[in-house]
Amino acid sequence: MAWTIIEVERKTGIPSTKIRFWIKKGLFPYLETDKNKVRYFSQNDIDALRWIEYLRETKMDIKTIKHYIDLYFQGDKTLKERKDIIKKQVEFVKKDLAKTKEILKILEEKHKMYENLECAKQKKY
């Protein structure tokens, strides 16, 4: 079965504008198109779309994702390089998560301070 971009948007929740942008950047080099230039996504394409979305959520840039996809289509001879790309991203995400947790802690402390100030102002002596 094949789906149009709008159908893929409904199915995945990923905006069609974002999908079109990724297509323009070369992240889907093998999409089927008909005589009217309508693009069709297979289930494999949708799986790839979700994978790209995950990588973007980890702040991986488009250029690196494109390189990763190009390596994928070159086959098993690129396994080590693809593994290295993913390992580097795992390390980045771990650092980013630690930083985010630190920021969350500071925000929660600030929020608690404001709650305490509000409570102090509400007390009448």
Side-chain angles (χ1 to χ4, degrees):
M1 179 157 193
W3 296 271
T4 64
I5 288 177
I6 297 302
E7 292 169 328
V8 170
E9 176 182 43
R10 290 182 191 132
K11 185 177 175 88
T12 65
I14 300 170
S16 59
T17 53
K18 187 183 283 190
I19 297 169
R20 284 186 179 93
F21 176 76
W22 290 345
I23 291 168
K24 188 186 238 183
K25 292 296 182 177
L27 301 185
F28 293 93
Y30 299 109
L31 282 180
E32 285 186 42
T33 56
D34 67 13
K35 64 181 179 177
N36 297 318
K37 307 255 185 207
V38 175
R39 297 177 188 100
Y40 291 96
F41 286 74
S42 68
Q43 185 58 53
N44 287 340
D45 296 325
I46 291 172
D47 294 343
L49 179 72
R50 286 188 172 119
W51 176 241
I52 291 167
E53 178 77 349
Y54 296 152
L55 294 175
R56 290 296 293 144
E57 287 288 326
T58 69
K59 302 176 185 172
M60 184 181 280
D61 60 79
I62 299 281
K63 182 180 174 185
T64 304
I65 294 171
K66 171 80 169 99
H67 180 64
Y68 180 88
I69 290 168
D70 291 343
L71 291 171
Y72 173 80
F73 283 112
Q74 291 176 36
D76 288 349
K77 65 184 179 184
T78 66
L79 283 172
K80 183 183 178 332
E81 191 173 354
R82 285 185 278 151
K83 182 186 91 172
D84 292 344
I85 290 169
I86 297 302
K87 182 179 180 185
K88 182 178 178 184
Q89 200 63 20
V90 166
E91 291 168 5
F92 171 82
V93 169
K94 285 180 180 180
K95 286 178 186 175
D96 192 52
L97 182 58
K99 182 178 178 182
T100 300
K101 285 180 179 181
E102 183 179 320
I103 293 168
L104 176 61
K105 182 180 175 188
I106 292 166
L107 288 171
E108 287 174 336
E109 289 170 0
K110 183 67 83 174
H111 182 258
K112 187 174 181 179
M113 179 198 75
Y114 283 120
E115 282 184 336
N116 290 338
L117 286 171
E118 280 181 335
C119 287
K121 283 192 166 212
Q122 290 176 2
K123 289 184 181 177
K124 297 182 182 183
Y125 296 97

